[in-house]
Amino acid sequence: MAAELVRGQNHPLSRNRIEIRISADAPVVAGATLADESGRVRGTDAVAHPGAPTLPGIEVSRQAAAEHRLAVDLDAMPETVHRISVLIALPAAPGGPLRFGALAAPRAAVTGLDGTEVAGYTLTGLDAESAVVALELYRRQGAWKIRAVGQGYAEGLTGLLTDQGLPQAAELARGIEEAVARGLARSVPVRTRDTDRSRRTAAPVTGPDLPGTTPAAGSPYDVQAPGDGDSTVRPALSDGPGEAAPTPGGGAGPSASGGPGIPADATSAGGPVDYTHPKRRQASRPSAPEAAAAAAAPPDGPVPPVAGDAVGWSMDERLYNQVWGMFEDLARSAAACRSAVDFAESRMEKELDQVLSDPRSRLGSVGDAAREAAQARQAQLVDQARAALDRDLAQLTAESEVVEPALPPAYARWDNPVWHGYRVPTEPPMAIRLGDLHLPESAPLRIPMLVRLPLERGLWIDSGVPDASPFEETGELRHLALRTAVALAARLLAVHPAGEFGVQVVDPARAGASAFAPLRGAGVLDAPPATGAAGVAGVLGRLTERVDLVQMAVRGGAPDALPPGLDTSRQLLIVNDFPHGFDDRAVTQLRYLADEGPDVGVHLLLVADREDAAAYGPLLDPLWRSLMRLTPVPDDHLADPWVGHAWTYEPCLVPPGSQVLQQVLTQVAAARTKHM
């Protein structure tokens, strides 16, 4: 099944002769740059474009077109080439679009020579950009991978080529435009876009490790409304109060009406269903759920929030995008409030300094009146900021109250009723819930922490005692850490089809026997927990061999040549009480699995206290950095890259006394038995 990528996501490439297919709603220019290991394009002879369409290993079109097929032969690529950037740009044609924001999102797909799609990427979130790096093919340890880039440039080809390190960028851009102008008359006519396909155009997925683009100032979401009725929501955060962060190309977001020349009611004329919440759009045609909610709302009152109120190809994707939209709304609102409070404090201090610097007003009734006035203005500003935050929190809380009950099992807490109707799925989900996030200002509002699948990083449940912890001893905290690990493992098993995900446990000292009892008792483990140094060595050796074999098969272009009987399902390795029972070889193998395992379906879940491994010194620093740290108790160790908030993470544990975990694992075990 083809992978649908989001910005920043990579995907292994199992074949060396491929096509890169570009589709857009207007003629575009397609090209490619060939860069060395440092990412620099050494000269104009390393750029494939309409004026020079053929380079060793790659060929592009000679003219602008609404659809392109770029032929790529990675075996013929020079050894000095380590990165191939696929670029598209709008030609400077009379009457043609000047920015991608005026068009529906273009799409890039990597396919085999037979047309079988390997991976695709829809370039959402573009606005003022007229040139964009769509995809990137890059070498890693001798194997090629695909990365979805989506980096746009409002300066056009000149800005893009300059960013690639070309000193003759302006001259080359002019040469490309001249070559395009000569062949523009032969451009392929614009295709008619299928309504269902345009309806499913995906929104950019954002989260703590994946930043998004930014709308115009003063609006938490901006909707651009292309002429075909597509409505693309672009969640984002502002850099500060009243200031919009730049788009990847350096431009600001479009106007509230959807962009220059596009009326605010452009989407009301028809077209695809718009799932956007009223607070995230200016005017568009409501979806059926929204229309029903609007009819139930009091006259002139706010429209109640609706679950699945974001764009996406499925309900799960719409809920995923809606949750991260809520995350960004909360981050932006809290940042605005904190900034306003800081401004009020600094303004009051400045006014008080002015009062104290004047001997005439330093003492007496004049000075007292000036101080009281400064403090009153500060209090007024703080009250206004907090009132605005309270309004936003009330809106987000109302949205959370309708979203949480609608979440599928992969996104839901263990106390959600959806688990009572659980059935083993036939397809894996796009994401999984690792816990909840909140800010000091947002209690009791919790935002689900959703992470895309398959996991690109291992997980580390920190069983060490944090500062100011109510736990005086590590025993209870270690037990909570194991409960957190078991809950995560059970969730991963439950949301994958039978036979597509397995769990193995390494527990050298049998310290987690009671915690692992639900997994072992239900029969969902691939083997009993490995104990002792010999058990550790055996499990790590088998998984290391599996990673090596799969990597060799992929790099050799022969994924079907794996040894018979090799289990190719995804595996989760839970390691408890690290580094107890690990010798130097085992530590090296564990680091190897953490680095190379996720690409070939081997994932690591480490339950450990870093202090226990202090004897290894800096040797294990790369291991800790490669893992996503989670905690068994609330801890504010996660930060977002937009405004730098310290988010408090809380794990999703099974409620005490609940039988839901055992019921779910029983169904998983029965499905695994039938699958064997």
Side-chain angles (χ1 to χ4, degrees), residues 208 434-440 449 457 459-464 466-467 484 624 627-640 644-651:
L434 296 184
D436 293 333
L437 299 172
H438 67 91
L439 294 172
M449 180 180 174
R457 298 172 62 188
L459 303 176
W460 164 34
I461 311 297
D462 190 354
S463 60
D467 297 335
T484 303
W624 304 118
L627 304 175
M628 179 185 294
R629 177 175 173 253
L630 304 176
T631 55
V633 293
D635 189 71
D636 60 347
H637 66 281
L638 294 177
D640 66 67
H645 291 324
W647 291 81
T648 297
Y649 166 82
E650 289 186 35

Side-chain angles (χ1 to χ4, degrees), residues 326-383:
M326 294 165 59
F327 170 86
E328 293 187 348
D329 277 356
L330 178 56
R332 175 192 52 79
S333 297
C337 180
R338 293 179 185 181
S339 178
V341 171
D342 291 343
F343 170 76
E345 295 288 345
S346 63
R347 177 176 173 175
M348 182 182 69
E349 292 176 0
K350 182 178 180 180
E351 292 176 350
L352 292 177
D353 288 342
Q354 291 175 349
V355 172
L356 295 174
S357 64
D358 189 348
R360 295 172 297 179
S361 61
R362 186 177 304 164
L363 301 174
S365 59
V366 176
D368 293 341
R371 280 188 286 272
E372 291 176 0
Q375 291 169 353
R377 283 190 290 269
Q378 182 265 348
Q380 182 183 14
L381 290 174
V382 170
D383 290 343

Side-chain angles (χ1 to χ4, degrees), residues 474-632:
T474 61
E476 186 176 356
L477 198 62
R478 290 180 187 272
H479 181 69
L480 278 176
L482 284 171
R483 284 184 57 199
T484 303
V486 169
L488 283 173
R491 183 182 293 267
L492 285 164
L493 282 167
V495 302
H496 281 85
E500 292 190 12
F501 198 91
V503 175
Q504 300 188 47
V505 174
V506 168
D507 188 18
R510 297 184 175 88
S514 61
F516 293 126
L519 298 176
R520 187 173 184 180
V524 295
L525 295 179
D526 288 359
T531 59
V536 172
V539 172
L540 294 180
R542 288 191 296 272
L543 288 178
T544 300
E545 181 182 16
R546 178 190 187 279
V547 171
D548 288 339
L549 290 172
V550 175
Q551 281 189 338
M552 286 189 292
V554 171
R555 292 173 184 172
D560 297 332
L562 292 169
L566 181 69
D567 184 7
T568 57
S569 64
R570 292 193 173 273
Q571 296 287 321
L572 177 70
L573 174 62
I574 304 177
V575 177
N576 181 40
D577 211 15
F578 175 81
H580 184 84
F582 281 69
D583 56 18
D584 290 344
R585 176 180 174 82
V587 169
T588 301
Q589 289 176 322
L590 189 71
R591 288 183 54 187
Y592 176 74
L593 292 177
D595 291 339
E596 303 297 331
D599 286 342
V600 292
V602 176
H603 308 280
L604 183 63
L605 177 55
L606 195 65
V607 182
D609 180 358
R610 190 167 182 174
E611 293 298 322
D612 293 343
Y616 285 92
L619 177 66
L620 291 181
D621 286 350
L623 173 65
W624 304 118
R625 286 195 298 267
S626 69
L627 304 175
M628 179 185 294
R629 177 175 173 253
L630 304 176
T631 55

